[in-house]
mmCIF file of all heavy atoms in Angstrom:
data_model
loop_
_atom_site.group_PDB
_atom_site.id
_atom_site.type_symbol
_atom_site.label_atom_id
_atom_site.label_comp_id
_atom_site.label_asym_id
_atom_site.label_seq_id
_atom_site.Cartn_x
_atom_site.Cartn_y
_atom_site.Cartn_z
ATOM 1 N N ARG A 177 -14.046 28.776 6.115
ATOM 2 C CA ARG A 177 -14.635 27.835 5.120
ATOM 3 C C ARG A 177 -13.772 26.651 4.931
ATOM 4 O O ARG A 177 -14.278 25.554 4.611
ATOM 5 C CB ARG A 177 -14.862 28.540 3.757
ATOM 6 C CG ARG A 177 -16.034 29.635 3.948
ATOM 7 C CD ARG A 177 -16.226 30.385 2.555
ATOM 8 N NE ARG A 177 -16.921 29.544 1.617
ATOM 9 C CZ ARG A 177 -17.227 29.827 0.486
ATOM 10 N NH1 ARG A 177 -16.943 31.140 -0.048
ATOM 11 N NH2 ARG A 177 -17.758 29.052 -0.447
ATOM 12 N N ILE A 178 -12.515 26.913 4.798
ATOM 13 C CA ILE A 178 -11.505 25.760 4.664
ATOM 14 C C ILE A 178 -11.580 24.796 5.788
ATOM 15 O O ILE A 178 -11.538 23.581 5.660
ATOM 16 C CB ILE A 178 -10.048 26.404 4.602
ATOM 17 C CG1 ILE A 178 -9.848 27.141 3.343
ATOM 18 C CG2 ILE A 178 -9.047 25.172 4.696
ATOM 19 C CD1 ILE A 178 -9.716 26.300 2.114
ATOM 20 N N ALA A 179 -11.709 25.271 7.041
ATOM 21 C CA ALA A 179 -11.850 24.454 8.198
ATOM 22 C C ALA A 179 -13.145 23.615 8.169
ATOM 23 O O ALA A 179 -13.156 22.434 8.575
ATOM 24 C CB ALA A 179 -11.827 25.303 9.510
ATOM 25 N N ALA A 180 -14.191 24.217 7.687
ATOM 26 C CA ALA A 180 -15.474 23.391 7.592
ATOM 27 C C ALA A 180 -15.389 22.310 6.586
ATOM 28 O O ALA A 180 -15.938 21.296 6.800
ATOM 29 C CB ALA A 180 -16.619 24.452 7.207
ATOM 30 N N ILE A 181 -14.584 22.421 5.523
ATOM 31 C CA ILE A 181 -14.396 21.364 4.545
ATOM 32 C C ILE A 181 -13.683 20.250 5.171
ATOM 33 O O ILE A 181 -13.943 19.139 4.975
ATOM 34 C CB ILE A 181 -13.623 21.999 3.270
ATOM 35 C CG1 ILE A 181 -14.569 22.900 2.494
ATOM 36 C CG2 ILE A 181 -13.190 20.807 2.471
ATOM 37 C CD1 ILE A 181 -13.883 23.682 1.454
ATOM 38 N N ALA A 182 -12.569 20.560 5.966
ATOM 39 C CA ALA A 182 -11.794 19.512 6.550
ATOM 40 C C ALA A 182 -12.386 18.900 7.794
ATOM 41 O O ALA A 182 -12.122 17.711 8.175
ATOM 42 C CB ALA A 182 -10.488 20.155 6.970
ATOM 43 N N ALA A 183 -13.365 19.523 8.378
ATOM 44 C CA ALA A 183 -13.877 19.176 9.718
ATOM 45 C C ALA A 183 -14.392 17.717 9.784
ATOM 46 O O ALA A 183 -14.061 16.905 10.641
ATOM 47 C CB ALA A 183 -14.929 20.172 10.168
ATOM 48 N N PRO A 184 -15.281 17.265 8.856
ATOM 49 C CA PRO A 184 -15.823 15.846 8.942
ATOM 50 C C PRO A 184 -14.702 14.864 9.027
ATOM 51 O O PRO A 184 -14.884 13.877 9.777
ATOM 52 C CB PRO A 184 -16.693 15.856 7.712
ATOM 53 C CG PRO A 184 -16.978 17.158 7.294
ATOM 54 C CD PRO A 184 -15.795 17.981 7.674
ATOM 55 N N LEU A 185 -13.711 14.922 8.217
ATOM 56 C CA LEU A 185 -12.649 13.868 8.253
ATOM 57 C C LEU A 185 -11.824 13.958 9.416
ATOM 58 O O LEU A 185 -11.296 12.908 9.981
ATOM 59 C CB LEU A 185 -11.742 13.987 7.061
ATOM 60 C CG LEU A 185 -12.314 13.350 5.733
ATOM 61 C CD1 LEU A 185 -13.578 14.089 5.155
ATOM 62 C CD2 LEU A 185 -11.310 13.097 4.586
ATOM 63 N N LEU A 186 -11.666 15.143 10.067
ATOM 64 C CA LEU A 186 -10.937 15.235 11.332
ATOM 65 C C LEU A 186 -11.735 14.668 12.457
ATOM 66 O O LEU A 186 -11.275 13.838 13.301
ATOM 67 C CB LEU A 186 -10.601 16.685 11.622
ATOM 68 C CG LEU A 186 -9.362 17.353 11.049
ATOM 69 C CD1 LEU A 186 -9.397 18.896 11.345
ATOM 70 C CD2 LEU A 186 -8.054 16.646 11.631
ATOM 71 N N GLU A 187 -13.153 14.964 12.456
ATOM 72 C CA GLU A 187 -13.979 14.493 13.530
ATOM 73 C C GLU A 187 -14.126 12.948 13.469
ATOM 74 O O GLU A 187 -14.240 12.315 14.591
ATOM 75 C CB GLU A 187 -15.259 15.173 13.406
ATOM 76 C CG GLU A 187 -15.196 16.614 13.732
ATOM 77 C CD GLU A 187 -16.485 17.453 13.216
ATOM 78 O OE1 GLU A 187 -17.352 16.741 12.646
ATOM 79 O OE2 GLU A 187 -16.497 18.688 13.439
ATOM 80 N N SER A 188 -14.053 12.356 12.349
ATOM 81 C CA SER A 188 -14.211 10.942 12.190
ATOM 82 C C SER A 188 -12.994 10.102 12.521
ATOM 83 O O SER A 188 -12.928 8.988 12.620
ATOM 84 C CB SER A 188 -14.655 10.490 10.754
ATOM 85 O OG SER A 188 -13.641 10.757 9.793
ATOM 86 N N GLY A 189 -11.794 10.816 12.431
ATOM 87 C CA GLY A 189 -10.509 10.305 12.758
ATOM 88 C C GLY A 189 -9.843 9.813 11.461
ATOM 89 O O GLY A 189 -8.692 9.155 11.546
ATOM 90 N N GLN A 190 -10.487 9.917 10.281
ATOM 91 C CA GLN A 190 -9.878 9.527 9.059
ATOM 92 C C GLN A 190 -8.659 10.406 8.770
ATOM 93 O O GLN A 190 -7.705 9.838 8.202
ATOM 94 C CB GLN A 190 -10.857 9.703 7.848
ATOM 95 C CG GLN A 190 -10.346 9.056 6.497
ATOM 96 C CD GLN A 190 -11.399 9.119 5.423
ATOM 97 O OE1 GLN A 190 -12.455 9.567 5.718
ATOM 98 N NE2 GLN A 190 -10.942 8.727 4.296
ATOM 99 N N ILE A 191 -8.640 11.629 9.141
ATOM 100 C CA ILE A 191 -7.446 12.449 9.116
ATOM 101 C C ILE A 191 -6.872 12.645 10.587
ATOM 102 O O ILE A 191 -7.714 13.115 11.429
ATOM 103 C CB ILE A 191 -7.762 13.933 8.462
ATOM 104 C CG1 ILE A 191 -7.986 13.659 6.977
ATOM 105 C CG2 ILE A 191 -6.534 14.864 8.704
ATOM 106 C CD1 ILE A 191 -8.283 15.098 6.272
ATOM 107 N N LYS A 192 -5.668 12.351 10.697
ATOM 108 C CA LYS A 192 -5.099 12.530 12.101
ATOM 109 C C LYS A 192 -4.025 13.753 11.938
ATOM 110 O O LYS A 192 -3.234 13.698 10.976
ATOM 111 C CB LYS A 192 -4.335 11.299 12.477
ATOM 112 C CG LYS A 192 -5.248 10.199 12.777
ATOM 113 C CD LYS A 192 -4.619 8.832 13.256
ATOM 114 C CE LYS A 192 -5.586 7.634 13.465
ATOM 115 N NZ LYS A 192 -4.846 6.510 13.897
ATOM 116 N N LEU A 193 -4.165 14.621 12.815
ATOM 117 C CA LEU A 193 -3.366 15.933 12.810
ATOM 118 C C LEU A 193 -2.209 15.715 13.831
ATOM 119 O O LEU A 193 -2.371 15.417 14.988
ATOM 120 C CB LEU A 193 -4.286 17.044 13.085
ATOM 121 C CG LEU A 193 -3.574 18.459 12.967
ATOM 122 C CD1 LEU A 193 -3.156 18.762 11.636
ATOM 123 C CD2 LEU A 193 -4.557 19.517 13.460
ATOM 124 N N ARG A 194 -0.903 15.879 13.360
ATOM 125 C CA ARG A 194 0.228 15.907 14.139
ATOM 126 C C ARG A 194 0.862 17.263 14.167
ATOM 127 O O ARG A 194 1.074 17.866 13.148
ATOM 128 C CB ARG A 194 1.225 14.811 13.655
ATOM 129 C CG ARG A 194 0.513 13.458 13.545
ATOM 130 C CD ARG A 194 1.565 12.396 13.122
ATOM 131 N NE ARG A 194 2.826 12.474 13.984
ATOM 132 C CZ ARG A 194 2.838 11.724 15.057
ATOM 133 N NH1 ARG A 194 1.830 11.057 15.546
ATOM 134 N NH2 ARG A 194 3.946 11.709 15.935
ATOM 135 N N VAL A 195 1.291 17.790 15.306
ATOM 136 C CA VAL A 195 1.991 19.101 15.517
ATOM 137 C C VAL A 195 3.467 18.624 15.698
ATOM 138 O O VAL A 195 3.858 17.810 16.570
ATOM 139 C CB VAL A 195 1.518 19.799 16.694
ATOM 140 C CG1 VAL A 195 2.263 21.079 16.909
ATOM 141 C CG2 VAL A 195 -0.050 20.071 16.439
ATOM 142 N N LEU A 196 4.311 19.222 14.830
ATOM 143 C CA LEU A 196 5.739 18.949 14.932
ATOM 144 C C LEU A 196 6.262 19.144 16.251
ATOM 145 O O LEU A 196 6.185 20.182 16.790
ATOM 146 C CB LEU A 196 6.514 19.624 13.842
ATOM 147 C CG LEU A 196 8.007 19.238 13.619
ATOM 148 C CD1 LEU A 196 8.064 17.835 13.342
ATOM 149 C CD2 LEU A 196 8.675 20.166 12.704
#
Side-chain angles (χ1 to χ4, degrees):
R177 294 182 68 182
I178 292 286
I181 290 169
L185 276 72
L186 276 171
E187 291 165 0
S188 71
Q190 188 175 359
I191 290 180
K192 295 180 179 178
L193 185 62
R194 301 182 59 81
V195 178
L196 188 62

